[in-house]
Structure formats: structure tokens, C-alpha cells
Amino acid sequence: MRPTGGNVSTNGTRTHVLRYRGPGAPLLLVPGITSPAITWGFVAERLAQVFDTFVVDVRGRGLSSSGPGLDYGLDAMADDLSTLIAALKVENVTVLGHSMGARIAIRAAVRDASSMARLVLVDPPVSGPGRRPYPAKLSWYLDSIRLAVEGMDADAMRAFCPTWSEEQLGLRAEWLHTCFEPAIVAAFEGFHTDDIHKDLRQLALPVALMIAGRGGVIEAADEAEIAALNPAIRTTRVSDAGHMIPWDDFDGFFQALDVLLGTSFGRSAA
């Protein structure tokens, strides 16, 4: 499936969006810290079997506004999401956020969930003030970005993502240079300074949480704390996947969505 692309004026910036047209209700996918929208294409194509799917380039990544002078904090990115939903004129949208994208979705929903039907939070970092640090190292991101800026291929990217397919490695190598280093640093620092736990308590719309069984991001104690903060959150684990769940267990990712959303991706793939 070939997506259509477009640029939308949001919150004083340009936001680039890919659309994978599907038959159902709208779904807006918000990627993680160094994932331009195009790198989620293999997931969006399958999502489009059920949903009219949009994938966003978060500011400082892909084809959205970037460069010095922009605010790359969580609040600014959350406001981008809210104004994007308004600009797209979609109602009752499912917002699926991975990692940093899940934190963006949480903050945006606390501020204004009027056009959102539900959130799907995929392995969001639960670090924050006074909490254990996020398990990934900032240097892992920055080293690969600097190599991508110089020019790298799939073979060079394999050192950072050894289990990925050749196509996935090539796409990341092609697009990683669009991740503006100060934006990545700001987001990573925000993992440790922004408190999303207080936001989780305030969420009033339906929320589903997908946890990577081998990611090390959300541990059993974290899952219990989230359940105590907001008992209405539905949770499932993808046992054999690391933090990049669809890359590690593509079918497991969609089977988890079936559990959380009542969809039938697993049956449609059979």
C-alpha cells in the first residue's frame, strides 16, 4: 500500500503526516524518539486493514519542522498532537503512541481528549523524577544519528539493531539523519524530568497498555503501580518482544491489539 503524504500547520509548526487509507474509524500513530513516520509503514499497512491510519512525524524528525529555535519538550509535542487532530478534522480517533509517542498521547489526552476515542500506549517509558532511569542510553541514539548524518547503509545500522530485517535496517539508515540531535536530547532528558504518572491518574477516556515482555522499560512493579493509579487501564504483554515490539514480534503486536481493542488482526492474517 502506498501512503499519501501531506503537511499540516499545527501549533505554529509544520507537521508531516502519512495516511494509509483504511475502511474504518481513524487511528493516529505517534512514533517514538527516533522513528520517522515512514519507518512505521509496515505496521501502518496492516493497521489500515481495520483503521483509516495516519502516522505523524513528530517535530524534529522526518519531514516535520526541525532545527534550532523550536521547543522540543513534552508539552509542545502534546500541543502539536492536539492541534493536528483538529486540523485533520477527525473525530473519535484512536491514538496509538509508541514509547515517547505514548507519553505525548498521555499528556495531550489530559489537556484535551474531546476528539479522542481511546489511547493505546505501547511500552511508554515510566522513568521520571525520583524514579529509575530509562534503560536505554542516550549515546546509543546519538552515535547512530551522527553516523546517519555522515551517511550509512543497512550493514552499518545492523550494529545498532542486529535483529531487524534488511528492509527495516535500510529504511532506518535512510531516514535517521532527519532526527535533529537537540530534539532527541530534549526528549530523552524529558523521560527523566516529566512526570506522566500524575497524568495517568487523570485520564478519563478508555486506555489500553501494551508492555514489551523483554523490553526492560515497564517492569512488574511499574505495571502494578499503573493499575493502582488508573484501574480502568487494560493491559497485555507481548512476551517475546523487546521495546520495539512490532520489529521483534510483528504478529504478537497485532495479537495484543486484538486483546486490547477487540479487533481481529490475528484472524485476518491466518
Side-chain angles (χ1 to χ4, degrees):
M1 175 186 297
R2 183 179 295 276
T4 57
N7 296 296
V8 181
S9 177
T10 58
N11 192 28
T13 66
R14 180 192 69 255
T15 296
H16 178 253
V17 183
L18 294 175
R19 185 178 188 180
Y20 297 77
R21 291 181 181 271
L27 180 146
L28 179 56
L29 195 160
V30 189
I33 188 169
T34 57
S35 294
I38 191 67
T39 63
W40 276 82
F42 73 110
V43 177
E45 288 179 1
R46 187 150 170 192
L47 287 169
Q49 295 176 5
V50 174
F51 297 101
D52 191 11
T53 302
F54 301 81
V55 190
V56 60
D57 276 325
V58 178
R59 62 167 65 194
R61 299 147 181 92
L63 299 181
S64 290
S65 290
S66 190
L70 284 181
D71 181 354
Y72 294 107
L74 180 60
D75 288 341
M77 294 187 291
D79 287 345
D80 288 348
L81 176 57
S82 297
T83 54
L84 174 62
I85 291 172
L88 292 174
K89 296 181 172 60
V90 292
E91 297 288 340
N92 297 318
V93 60
T94 294
V95 179
L96 188 158
H98 172 249
S99 192
M100 178 194 75
R103 290 169 68 99
I104 294 171
I106 292 166
R107 181 61 54 89
V110 166
R111 293 181 163 201
D112 181 11
S114 59
S115 295
M116 300 180 185
R118 56 193 170 187
L119 301 184
V120 181
L121 310 175
V122 181
D123 219 37
V126 291
S127 46
R131 297 177 178 274
R132 76 176 190 281
Y134 183 59
K137 302 299 183 184
L138 179 59
S139 59
W140 185 89
Y141 299 108
L142 299 186
D143 289 348
S144 58
I145 290 171
R146 289 166 185 171
L147 288 172
V149 169
E150 294 174 2
M152 69 188 308
D153 60 12
D155 285 340
M157 185 59 71
R158 187 171 286 107
F160 296 90
C161 307
T163 63
W164 290 21
S165 72
E166 191 76 12
E167 183 178 0
Q168 291 163 353
L169 291 167
L171 201 57
R172 185 168 176 83
E174 180 182 359
W175 281 88
L176 189 61
H177 75 92
T178 68
C179 294
F180 184 52
E181 186 172 315
I184 307 312
V185 173
F188 188 88
E189 291 176 348
F191 288 170
H192 303 91
T193 57
D194 292 309
D195 182 5
I196 63 159
H197 289 79
K198 63 178 178 61
D199 294 339
L200 288 170
R201 184 184 288 113
Q202 299 179 57
L203 292 173
L205 75 172
V207 181
L209 174 65
M210 186 187 305
I211 300 172
R214 296 190 288 105
V217 174
I218 301 178
E219 298 179 348
D222 304 311
E223 184 178 350
E225 181 182 10
I226 291 169
L229 289 170
N230 192 329
I233 294 177
R234 298 187 64 192
T235 302
T236 192
R237 284 184 171 266
V238 184
S239 300
D240 294 329
H243 182 58
M244 303 297 285
I245 296 176
W247 283 259
D248 289 345
D249 188 351
F250 183 73
D251 289 334
F253 175 81
F254 284 96
Q255 289 163 7
L257 286 183
D258 288 346
V259 170
L260 295 171
L261 302 181
T263 49
S264 56
F265 288 108
R267 288 191 294 276
S268 65

